[in-house]
Amino acid sequence: MEKLQAIVSLRAAGYNQAVLRTWFREPKGWLEERIARHQAIRDDLLDLFRDAGMPTREPQAGSYLFPMLPPLAVGPLDFVQLLRHQADVIVTAGTEFGPCPNNIRLNFSQVHAAAVAGGRRIVEMAHRYRK
C-alpha cells in the first residue's frame, strides 16, 4: 500500500489535471499569492533543515524537499517508520528515488504551520536517533 500511495501521490490523473484550467481563471493576483505562500513554506523548511545540519537542495519547482539525514543509530528505512509511528510524519525513503539511502523525501504543499511543525518533528527525531 505504501508503494501504491507513493505512485498515486506522485502523478495527477488526467481528470484531475482538468481542474488546473480553473486556476487560470482565478482572480487577478491569486496565483502569485499562492506561489509566494508556497515559497514561504519551502524557505522556512529549508532554513529549519539546514540549521539542523541536514543539507537540503532548494527545489526549482514542485513541492518536495530531499533533506539528507545525519548519521543515525538506526537505518534510514527504520527511521522512516519511526517518524510515522512516533512523530506522526510520513516521508518517503530516499532509496525510492535512486542511490540516496541517507535522504528522505517530503511534500510541503500544505498548511504553513503544519508543514513547519512536521519539519520540527523530523529534526527532533533525527537528533534523538543521531549516532
Side-chain angles (χ1 to χ4, degrees):
M1 288 309 295
E2 287 181 15
K3 285 198 180 264
L4 177 62
Q5 166 91 28
I7 291 168
V8 171
S9 297
L10 294 175
R11 296 168 186 85
Y15 53 86
N16 291 337
Q17 292 176 22
V19 172
L20 295 176
R21 279 183 248 156
T22 63
W23 285 12
F24 298 108
R25 293 188 203 111
E26 296 293 342
K28 186 168 178 63
W30 177 87
L31 187 56
E32 293 80 9
E33 181 184 332
R34 175 64 187 122
I35 290 169
R37 287 195 318 252
H38 194 260
Q39 288 173 337
I41 298 169
R42 178 201 65 195
D43 293 347
D44 285 352
L45 287 172
L46 284 172
D47 289 345
L48 180 71
F49 290 129
R50 289 173 178 167
D51 288 349
M54 298 169 67
T56 308
R57 187 178 146 283
E58 180 178 322
Q60 300 303 304
S63 303
Y64 298 95
L65 291 178
F66 205 60
M68 181 180 284
L69 298 170
L72 299 173
V74 298
L77 295 175
D78 291 330
F79 185 71
V80 167
Q81 295 300 316
L82 289 166
L83 280 174
R84 186 175 73 190
H85 295 292
Q86 294 181 10
D88 200 26
V89 175
I90 297 174
V91 299
T92 305
T95 53
E96 294 285 327
F97 305 96
C100 307
N102 298 320
N103 290 74
I104 55 173
R105 183 176 189 250
L106 62 135
N107 179 291
F108 62 88
S109 62
Q110 54 184 304
V111 176
H112 192 134
V116 172
R120 285 189 182 115
R121 292 194 304 275
I122 292 170
V123 168
E124 289 169 9
M125 291 288 288
H127 181 72
R128 181 184 306 168
Y129 286 97
R130 191 176 196 125
K131 271 188 186 173

